[in-house]
Amino acid sequence: MRVFVAVGEQESFSGASRRLELSPAAVTRAVSALEARLGVTLLLRTTRNVRLTEAGRRYLDNSREILASIEEAGRAAADVNAAPKGRLSVAASVLYGKSFVVPCVVEYLRRYPEVEVLAHFLDHNVNLVDEGIDVAVKIGPLPDSSLKAMRVGQVRRVLCASPEYLATHGVPRHPGELQRHTVIAAAGVSPGAEWKFGGAGEPTTVRMKPRLTVTSNDAAVEAVIAGLGISRLLCYQVAAGLAEGRLRIILADYEEAPWPVHILHRHGTLGSSKVRHFIDLLAASLRAHPGMQHRA
């Protein structure tokens, strides 16, 4: 397979022989034996050049992936007993990172003194590949991608307001009544002009006209606590305000299904020890955290 990949990439038997430091005859025999075993023609040979067939192109792509997995397995085997070292890049949203990820990072750094962590806490999606992120926590539906994902729980999206606001303006009993209230839109949770509801009743969509739109969830929390109006936020973001009595959840019967929480990473399950150890620690911590919910 390695010989075939070299020939396919070089489009030359002689080029592959130089790259692999094998004789041209050995390269030719290896490819011919591979074609005979598969029962297909992988390469079209002429006196002037070598071209891949359609089957050859597919086999080349698959072979590259297989050989990369073999190399990764070898690195992981050599790395299995090695202490984590180097730089680890982690990403999460601002409030989630502060409440859930930072304690894991602190414990991780205590355990492994040869690791440095660069933590990105931002209320917008990051591209792990483009931005060189090793591990990220994603809240909400997963995009289609080649990233590895591990589900660790789920969180509710809740509508909340301060007791003072509700005492002055009344408590809405149905999503349609929200149009008569002051609405605060948190871009990280409810960026659009339409809010969808489910729960006990029929699915409902309410077109909102926010009086205030903020790009960070903590700013929305502060505005709600200050009594400006109603906002839709994630349950962990308002946990402190609820516990202190500064916030109340409304329209709980109309909540949509909770959002899943996943750990995303670019590396396979046989990745480097620094990534593997951090994911193990983070997953165990998030699954045990009282602020996370789990499916029945």
Side-chain angles (χ1 to χ4, degrees):
M1 191 177 286
R2 288 193 178 95
V3 171
F4 167 72
V5 168
V7 174
E9 291 179 344
Q10 297 282 325
E11 294 187 339
S12 166
F13 281 87
S14 59
S17 69
R18 289 190 295 271
R19 173 169 149 182
L20 299 173
E21 298 183 348
L22 295 172
S23 69
V27 171
T28 300
R29 285 195 300 271
V31 173
S32 296
L34 179 62
E35 289 178 318
R37 183 169 63 83
L38 296 175
V40 296
T41 299
L42 301 173
L43 297 167
L44 296 175
R45 306 147 170 91
T46 70
T47 56
R48 303 184 63 179
N49 57 36
V50 175
R51 290 188 297 110
L52 289 162
T53 64
E54 182 61 31
R57 280 192 291 271
R58 290 198 301 269
Y59 194 74
L60 177 63
D61 291 339
N62 292 334
S63 296
R64 284 169 171 159
E65 293 181 7
I66 292 169
L67 292 173
S69 296
I70 292 172
E71 291 179 5
E72 184 181 17
R75 289 192 299 269
D79 192 44
V80 68
N81 294 319
K85 62 177 61 178
R87 172 170 287 191
L88 180 75
S89 183
V90 181
S93 60
V94 175
L95 289 178
Y96 196 92
K98 176 182 176 182
S99 301
F100 292 80
V101 179
V102 167
C104 294
V105 169
V106 171
E107 176 60 26
Y108 180 73
L109 292 173
R110 284 175 177 161
R111 292 186 187 184
Y112 306 110
E114 295 186 73
V115 178
E116 301 172 4
V117 172
L118 177 60
H120 305 260
F121 296 144
L122 305 164
D123 281 335
H124 65 259
N125 291 328
V126 296
N127 187 304
L128 273 66
V129 175
D130 292 347
E131 300 182 44
I133 306 295
D134 294 305
V135 181
V137 178
K138 166 69 175 175
I139 300 172
L142 287 178
D144 293 331
S145 73
S146 60
L147 299 174
K148 307 295 182 180
M150 176 190 301
R151 181 161 178 158
V152 290
Q154 59 188 19
V155 293
R156 293 164 55 205
R157 287 174 293 167
V158 299
L159 268 73
C160 58
S162 69
E164 293 78 13
Y165 176 88
L166 296 174
T168 302
H169 301 278
V171 180
R173 303 297 179 185
H174 185 273
E177 298 178 17
L178 290 170
Q179 293 176 323
R180 300 197 296 269
H181 286 266
T182 300
V183 169
I184 302 161
V189 178
S190 302
E194 295 183 343
W195 287 1
K196 295 181 179 180
F197 296 89
E202 291 293 322
T204 304
T205 299
V206 179
R207 188 166 185 81
M208 311 303 301
K209 187 177 180 181
R211 183 114 185 264
L212 172 65
T213 300
V214 293
T215 57
S216 66
N217 297 316
D218 53 351
V221 173
E222 291 303 315
V224 176
I225 289 175
L228 178 63
I230 297 170
S231 188
R232 171 179 268 177
L233 295 155
L234 295 171
C235 57
Y236 71 86
Q237 296 166 344
V238 296
L242 293 170
E244 295 165 1
R246 297 190 292 167
L247 292 175
R248 282 179 53 192
I249 291 177
I250 61 173
L251 298 176
D253 290 341
Y254 295 92
E255 290 176 14
E256 283 194 298
W259 274 358
V261 180
H262 289 88
I263 297 173
L264 303 181
H265 54 106
R266 294 182 291 120
H267 306 269
T269 55
L270 302 175
S272 67
S273 63
K274 67 179 180 182
V275 173
R276 188 170 61 251
H277 282 79
F278 182 73
I279 289 174
D280 289 345
L281 177 63
L282 183 61
S285 177
L286 296 184
R287 286 170 174 155
H289 199 289
M292 295 284 285
Q293 302 175 344
H294 299 279
R295 292 171 292 185

Short mmCIF file of all heavy atoms in Angstrom, two decimals, residues 95-96 99-100 155-160 217-218 221-222 224-225 233-249 289-293:
data_model
loop_
_atom_site.label_atom_id
_atom_site.label_comp_id
_atom_site.label_asym_id
_atom_site.label_seq_id
_atom_site.Cartn_x
_atom_site.Cartn_y
_atom_site.Cartn_z
N LEU A 95 -19.14 32.38 29.76
CA LEU A 95 -19.63 31.97 31.07
C LEU A 95 -19.45 30.48 31.32
O LEU A 95 -19.15 30.05 32.43
CB LEU A 95 -21.11 32.35 31.22
CG LEU A 95 -21.39 33.85 31.35
CD1 LEU A 95 -22.89 34.11 31.43
CD2 LEU A 95 -20.69 34.42 32.58
N TYR A 96 -19.62 29.67 30.27
CA TYR A 96 -19.40 28.24 30.42
C TYR A 96 -17.94 27.96 30.73
O TYR A 96 -17.61 27.13 31.59
CB TYR A 96 -19.82 27.49 29.16
CG TYR A 96 -19.98 26.01 29.37
CD1 TYR A 96 -21.20 25.46 29.72
CD2 TYR A 96 -18.89 25.14 29.24
CE1 TYR A 96 -21.35 24.10 29.93
CE2 TYR A 96 -19.02 23.79 29.45
CZ TYR A 96 -20.26 23.27 29.80
OH TYR A 96 -20.38 21.91 30.02
N SER A 99 -17.26 28.92 34.42
CA SER A 99 -17.89 28.09 35.44
C SER A 99 -17.49 26.62 35.36
O SER A 99 -17.37 25.95 36.39
CB SER A 99 -19.43 28.19 35.32
OG SER A 99 -19.86 29.52 35.47
N PHE A 100 -17.29 26.10 34.14
CA PHE A 100 -17.11 24.67 33.96
C PHE A 100 -15.70 24.27 33.54
O PHE A 100 -15.19 23.23 33.96
CB PHE A 100 -18.10 24.14 32.91
CG PHE A 100 -19.54 24.19 33.33
CD1 PHE A 100 -20.26 25.36 33.28
CD2 PHE A 100 -20.18 23.04 33.77
CE1 PHE A 100 -21.58 25.40 33.65
CE2 PHE A 100 -21.52 23.07 34.15
CZ PHE A 100 -22.22 24.25 34.09
N VAL A 155 -28.13 21.20 28.29
CA VAL A 155 -28.54 22.36 29.07
C VAL A 155 -29.86 22.91 28.52
O VAL A 155 -30.14 22.81 27.33
CB VAL A 155 -27.47 23.48 29.05
CG1 VAL A 155 -26.22 23.04 29.79
CG2 VAL A 155 -27.12 23.89 27.63
N ARG A 156 -30.65 23.49 29.40
CA ARG A 156 -31.95 24.06 29.01
C ARG A 156 -31.77 25.51 28.58
O ARG A 156 -30.93 26.24 29.11
CB ARG A 156 -32.91 24.04 30.20
CG ARG A 156 -33.34 22.67 30.64
CD ARG A 156 -33.96 22.74 32.03
NE ARG A 156 -35.07 23.70 32.10
CZ ARG A 156 -35.45 24.31 33.24
NH1 ARG A 156 -34.80 24.06 34.37
NH2 ARG A 156 -36.47 25.16 33.23
N ARG A 157 -32.61 25.93 27.63
CA ARG A 157 -32.75 27.34 27.30
C ARG A 157 -33.99 27.86 28.03
O ARG A 157 -35.09 27.34 27.82
CB ARG A 157 -32.88 27.54 25.79
CG ARG A 157 -31.59 27.32 25.03
CD ARG A 157 -31.82 27.39 23.54
NE ARG A 157 -32.65 26.27 23.09
CZ ARG A 157 -33.21 26.21 21.89
NH1 ARG A 157 -33.07 27.20 21.04
NH2 ARG A 157 -33.93 25.16 21.54
N VAL A 158 -33.79 28.84 28.88
CA VAL A 158 -34.88 29.30 29.74
C VAL A 158 -35.14 30.79 29.52
O VAL A 158 -34.22 31.56 29.19
CB VAL A 158 -34.57 29.04 31.23
CG1 VAL A 158 -34.39 27.55 31.47
CG2 VAL A 158 -33.31 29.79 31.67
N LEU A 159 -36.39 31.19 29.69
CA LEU A 159 -36.74 32.60 29.70
C LEU A 159 -36.77 33.06 31.15
O LEU A 159 -37.32 32.37 32.02
CB LEU A 159 -38.11 32.83 29.06
CG LEU A 159 -38.09 33.13 27.56
CD1 LEU A 159 -37.76 31.86 26.79
CD2 LEU A 159 -39.41 33.71 27.11
N CYS A 160 -36.18 34.22 31.39
CA CYS A 160 -36.14 34.68 32.77
C CYS A 160 -36.26 36.20 32.82
O CYS A 160 -36.02 36.91 31.84
CB CYS A 160 -34.86 34.23 33.46
SG CYS A 160 -33.36 34.78 32.63
N ASN A 217 -23.30 36.95 26.62
CA ASN A 217 -24.38 36.46 27.48
C ASN A 217 -24.34 37.05 28.87
O ASN A 217 -25.39 37.26 29.49
CB ASN A 217 -24.31 34.93 27.55
CG ASN A 217 -24.51 34.29 26.19
OD1 ASN A 217 -25.40 34.68 25.45
ND2 ASN A 217 -23.69 33.31 25.86
N ASP A 218 -23.14 37.33 29.40
CA ASP A 218 -23.07 37.90 30.74
C ASP A 218 -23.68 39.30 30.77
O ASP A 218 -24.29 39.71 31.76
CB ASP A 218 -21.64 37.90 31.28
CG ASP A 218 -20.65 38.56 30.33
OD1 ASP A 218 -21.02 38.86 29.19
OD2 ASP A 218 -19.49 38.76 30.75
N VAL A 221 -27.40 38.82 31.05
CA VAL A 221 -27.75 38.45 32.43
C VAL A 221 -27.83 39.69 33.31
O VAL A 221 -28.79 39.89 34.08
CB VAL A 221 -26.73 37.45 33.01
CG1 VAL A 221 -27.01 37.20 34.49
CG2 VAL A 221 -26.78 36.13 32.25
N GLU A 222 -26.83 40.58 33.18
CA GLU A 222 -26.82 41.79 34.00
C GLU A 222 -28.01 42.69 33.68
O GLU A 222 -28.62 43.29 34.57
CB GLU A 222 -25.51 42.55 33.79
CG GLU A 222 -24.28 41.86 34.35
CD GLU A 222 -24.41 41.60 35.84
OE1 GLU A 222 -24.86 42.51 36.58
OE2 GLU A 222 -24.08 40.48 36.28
N VAL A 224 -30.94 41.74 32.57
CA VAL A 224 -32.16 41.13 33.11
C VAL A 224 -32.22 41.34 34.62
O VAL A 224 -33.27 41.70 35.17
CB VAL A 224 -32.21 39.62 32.77
CG1 VAL A 224 -33.41 38.96 33.42
CG2 VAL A 224 -32.26 39.42 31.27
N ILE A 225 -31.12 41.12 35.32
CA ILE A 225 -31.09 41.33 36.77
C ILE A 225 -31.41 42.78 37.12
O ILE A 225 -32.08 43.06 38.12
CB ILE A 225 -29.71 40.92 37.34
CG1 ILE A 225 -29.55 39.39 37.28
CG2 ILE A 225 -29.53 41.43 38.76
CD1 ILE A 225 -28.18 38.90 37.70
N LEU A 233 -31.88 32.61 27.95
CA LEU A 233 -30.50 32.29 28.26
C LEU A 233 -30.40 30.80 28.59
O LEU A 233 -31.41 30.11 28.71
CB LEU A 233 -30.00 33.14 29.44
CG LEU A 233 -29.93 34.65 29.16
CD1 LEU A 233 -30.04 35.45 30.44
CD2 LEU A 233 -28.64 34.97 28.42
N LEU A 234 -29.18 30.33 28.73
CA LEU A 234 -28.96 28.94 29.11
C LEU A 234 -28.99 28.82 30.62
O LEU A 234 -28.58 29.74 31.34
CB LEU A 234 -27.64 28.44 28.54
CG LEU A 234 -27.60 28.38 27.00
CD1 LEU A 234 -26.19 28.08 26.50
CD2 LEU A 234 -28.58 27.35 26.46
N CYS A 235 -29.48 27.68 31.11
CA CYS A 235 -29.76 27.54 32.53
C CYS A 235 -28.54 27.81 33.41
O CYS A 235 -28.67 28.42 34.48
CB CYS A 235 -30.35 26.16 32.81
SG CYS A 235 -29.30 24.78 32.29
N TYR A 236 -27.37 27.38 32.99
CA TYR A 236 -26.20 27.59 33.83
C TYR A 236 -25.81 29.07 33.91
O TYR A 236 -25.20 29.51 34.89
CB TYR A 236 -25.01 26.76 33.33
CG TYR A 236 -24.42 27.25 32.03
CD1 TYR A 236 -23.44 28.23 32.00
CD2 TYR A 236 -24.84 26.72 30.82
CE1 TYR A 236 -22.91 28.68 30.80
CE2 TYR A 236 -24.32 27.16 29.62
CZ TYR A 236 -23.36 28.14 29.62
OH TYR A 236 -22.84 28.58 28.43
N GLN A 237 -26.17 29.85 32.89
CA GLN A 237 -25.82 31.27 32.88
C GLN A 237 -26.60 32.06 33.92
O GLN A 237 -26.15 33.12 34.36
CB GLN A 237 -26.06 31.85 31.48
CG GLN A 237 -25.18 31.24 30.41
CD GLN A 237 -25.64 31.58 28.99
OE1 GLN A 237 -26.77 32.01 28.79
NE2 GLN A 237 -24.77 31.36 28.02
N VAL A 238 -27.77 31.57 34.29
CA VAL A 238 -28.62 32.28 35.25
C VAL A 238 -28.71 31.54 36.57
O VAL A 238 -29.51 31.93 37.44
CB VAL A 238 -30.03 32.50 34.66
CG1 VAL A 238 -29.95 33.41 33.44
CG2 VAL A 238 -30.70 31.18 34.30
N ALA A 239 -27.92 30.50 36.76
CA ALA A 239 -28.01 29.69 37.97
C ALA A 239 -27.79 30.52 39.23
O ALA A 239 -28.52 30.40 40.22
CB ALA A 239 -27.01 28.53 37.92
N ALA A 240 -26.78 31.39 39.21
CA ALA A 240 -26.49 32.20 40.41
C ALA A 240 -27.64 33.17 40.70
O ALA A 240 -28.07 33.31 41.85
CB ALA A 240 -25.19 32.96 40.22
N GLY A 241 -28.13 33.83 39.66
CA GLY A 241 -29.25 34.76 39.85
C GLY A 241 -30.50 34.08 40.37
O GLY A 241 -31.23 34.64 41.21
N LEU A 242 -30.77 32.86 39.90
CA LEU A 242 -31.91 32.11 40.39
C LEU A 242 -31.73 31.72 41.85
O LEU A 242 -32.65 31.84 42.66
CB LEU A 242 -32.12 30.85 39.53
CG LEU A 242 -32.54 31.08 38.08
CD1 LEU A 242 -32.48 29.76 37.30
CD2 LEU A 242 -33.96 31.66 38.00
N ALA A 243 -30.54 31.24 42.18
CA ALA A 243 -30.27 30.82 43.56
C ALA A 243 -30.37 31.98 44.54
O ALA A 243 -30.79 31.81 45.69
CB ALA A 243 -28.89 30.17 43.64
N GLU A 244 -29.99 33.17 44.07
CA GLU A 244 -30.02 34.35 44.94
C GLU A 244 -31.37 35.06 44.95
O GLU A 244 -31.57 36.05 45.64
CB GLU A 244 -28.94 35.34 44.49
CG GLU A 244 -27.52 34.79 44.66
CD GLU A 244 -26.50 35.60 43.88
OE1 GLU A 244 -26.90 36.60 43.22
OE2 GLU A 244 -25.31 35.24 43.92
N GLY A 245 -32.31 34.56 44.14
CA GLY A 245 -33.63 35.16 44.09
C GLY A 245 -33.70 36.42 43.25
O GLY A 245 -34.72 37.13 43.28
N ARG A 246 -32.68 36.71 42.47
CA ARG A 246 -32.68 37.91 41.65
C ARG A 246 -33.29 37.67 40.27
O ARG A 246 -33.52 38.62 39.53
CB ARG A 246 -31.25 38.45 41.50
CG ARG A 246 -30.62 38.89 42.82
CD ARG A 246 -29.33 39.65 42.59
NE ARG A 246 -28.29 38.78 42.06
CZ ARG A 246 -27.15 39.23 41.54
NH1 ARG A 246 -26.93 40.53 41.46
NH2 ARG A 246 -26.24 38.39 41.10
N LEU A 247 -33.54 36.42 39.94
CA LEU A 247 -34.14 36.06 38.66
C LEU A 247 -35.23 35.00 38.89
O LEU A 247 -35.16 34.21 39.84
CB LEU A 247 -33.09 35.50 37.70
CG LEU A 247 -32.02 36.47 37.18
CD1 LEU A 247 -31.00 35.71 36.35
CD2 LEU A 247 -32.65 37.59 36.37
N ARG A 248 -36.19 34.98 37.96
CA ARG A 248 -37.22 33.95 37.96
C ARG A 248 -37.37 33.40 36.56
O ARG A 248 -37.31 34.16 35.57
CB ARG A 248 -38.56 34.51 38.44
CG ARG A 248 -38.68 34.69 39.94
CD ARG A 248 -40.03 35.28 40.28
NE ARG A 248 -41.15 34.51 39.70
CZ ARG A 248 -42.41 34.94 39.66
NH1 ARG A 248 -42.72 36.12 40.14
NH2 ARG A 248 -43.35 34.19 39.11
N ILE A 249 -37.57 32.09 36.44
CA ILE A 249 -37.84 31.47 35.15
C ILE A 249 -39.33 31.60 34.84
O ILE A 249 -40.17 31.41 35.72
CB ILE A 249 -37.42 29.99 35.15
CG1 ILE A 249 -35.89 29.87 35.21
CG2 ILE A 249 -37.94 29.26 33.91
CD1 ILE A 249 -35.38 28.45 35.29
N HIS A 289 -20.91 17.42 37.02
CA HIS A 289 -21.23 18.77 37.48
C HIS A 289 -22.74 18.90 37.71
O HIS A 289 -23.54 18.51 36.85
CB HIS A 289 -20.78 19.79 36.43
CG HIS A 289 -20.65 21.18 36.97
ND1 HIS A 289 -21.75 21.94 37.32
CD2 HIS A 289 -19.56 21.94 37.24
CE1 HIS A 289 -21.34 23.12 37.76
NE2 HIS A 289 -20.03 23.15 37.73
N PRO A 290 -23.15 19.46 38.85
CA PRO A 290 -24.59 19.61 39.12
C PRO A 290 -25.29 20.55 38.17
O PRO A 290 -26.51 20.50 38.04
CB PRO A 290 -24.63 20.14 40.56
CG PRO A 290 -23.27 20.75 40.79
CD PRO A 290 -22.32 19.92 39.98
N GLY A 291 -24.55 21.43 37.48
CA GLY A 291 -25.16 22.35 36.54
C GLY A 291 -25.47 21.74 35.19
O GLY A 291 -26.10 22.37 34.35
N MET A 292 -25.05 20.49 34.98
CA MET A 292 -25.32 19.80 33.72
C MET A 292 -26.48 18.84 33.92
O MET A 292 -26.65 18.24 34.98
CB MET A 292 -24.08 19.00 33.29
CG MET A 292 -22.90 19.86 32.94
SD MET A 292 -23.08 20.67 31.34
CE MET A 292 -22.75 19.28 30.28
N GLN A 293 -27.29 18.71 32.88
CA GLN A 293 -28.40 17.78 32.91
C GLN A 293 -28.09 16.61 32.01
O GLN A 293 -27.26 16.71 31.10
CB GLN A 293 -29.69 18.46 32.43
CG GLN A 293 -30.07 19.67 33.26
CD GLN A 293 -31.28 20.37 32.67
OE1 GLN A 293 -31.64 20.15 31.53
NE2 GLN A 293 -31.89 21.22 33.47
#
